[in-house]
Amino acid sequence: MIKSLNKSGNNMDKKPSKFKKIIISILIIVLVVALISFFGLRSYYNSQMAPMAVENIKDITVEIPQGSSTVRIASILKDRGLIRNELFFRYTAKTLGLDGSLKAGKYVLNNGMTPEEILESLQTGGILKETVSFTIPEGFELHEIISRLSDMGLIDKVRFEELVSNPKSFEEKYPILKDIPEGLNLEGYLYPDTYEIFVDAKEEDIIEKMLSRFTQVYSDEIANKANDLNMTLNEVISLASIIEREGKLDEERPMISAVFHNRLSINQPLESCATIQFALGERKQVLSYKDLEIESDYNTYRNSGLPPGPIASPGKKSIEAAVNPADVPYKYFVSNEDGTGSHTFSITYQDHLNAIDRIRNK
């Protein structure tokens, strides 16, 4: 009887101990889940409150109508691509004590602003600066870009020339420029396009806007293609600029690229008239034999390989063609001189001479 009671008593002592362990385990699990949820929510909140962009920042004009609630303002900003999460924006406005104090008007914001920065701007009242637009055609040389902007009264010519002569001053914001060889300027890297700028924009603002567009066009796909071809950024843009100046029709650009790639593969001079014109500093309609003898690193009649740098600002089609040459054996081409901008392509030099005779004897 005594032994039986002792045994029963031992079991009673073990049960509470086991129960405590279960309770502690449950509490630990709940605590872990709570911590994971907290940090997960915090991480999600931070991601939703981050700027929409950290590169290629764009100005965005927004109009906030009179009488707009914070809910309505959040919806407008979300539609314009300025915030990620309407609910979190409204929550932040409330926690900062700004709910109901945001002002109507026209604003120039940008997609690199945080929601807090946007809220700060929306307290001041709308201010819309006057803007002006300019267009840089594909194939423009740097001096032509400078002349156009100077003639429009948008830049101080000397200041602009000084800035574009030093790519390193823009490397921190645009790391891709680190691939530009020492001694070269931004020839070829100010992307040809139509731009809208504030009338009081500085020279740096204009250059950065054009560089930002260039980095958008020079996509990862193009960069990967360049790596596959063992081409540097400078080589791609140099070749693209020649293609831009030599080609008129988009469908011919890959074939023109192929001609130059085929020549480069056998160390045959590119013999591009466009590089001679760049070396001469003028675009002569007809080049003389004397012109072809000009002493210049950009003379691709006398020097093999690509020139030291770009000779103009290439457009997207030419940049893509530079890393996507057509699969053709051509090594020569000549303009058909029929007003269409088309060319006749040839494999051998004799075929090329025959093509020239046919075109000139039409």
Side-chain angles (χ1 to χ4, degrees), residues 275-329:
T275 62
I276 299 296
Q277 292 171 330
F278 182 81
L280 291 171
E282 61 175 315
R283 297 186 180 180
K284 298 174 68 173
Q285 291 296 321
V286 179
L287 296 174
S288 66
Y289 285 109
K290 183 180 179 180
D291 292 332
L292 302 183
E293 293 298 319
I294 184 173
E295 289 284 346
S296 171
D297 291 338
Y298 286 85
N299 185 342
T300 57
Y301 276 81
R302 298 186 59 170
N303 306 307
S304 297
L306 288 163
I311 61 170
S313 290
K316 184 177 181 180
K317 293 293 185 181
S318 292
I319 295 175
E320 290 176 337
V323 295
N324 291 285
D327 186 15
V328 292

Side-chain angles (χ1 to χ4, degrees), residues 161-193:
E161 288 176 341
E162 177 184 326
L163 288 168
V164 296
S165 296
N166 185 22
K168 288 190 175 298
S169 61
F170 298 95
E171 283 182 3
E172 184 175 351
K173 195 165 186 179
Y174 304 98
I176 193 174
L177 300 181
K178 292 178 181 178
D179 289 338
I180 298 178
E182 190 75 31
L184 294 184
N185 56 26
L186 288 176
E187 181 78 72
Y189 296 92
L190 300 185
Y191 191 76
D193 206 342

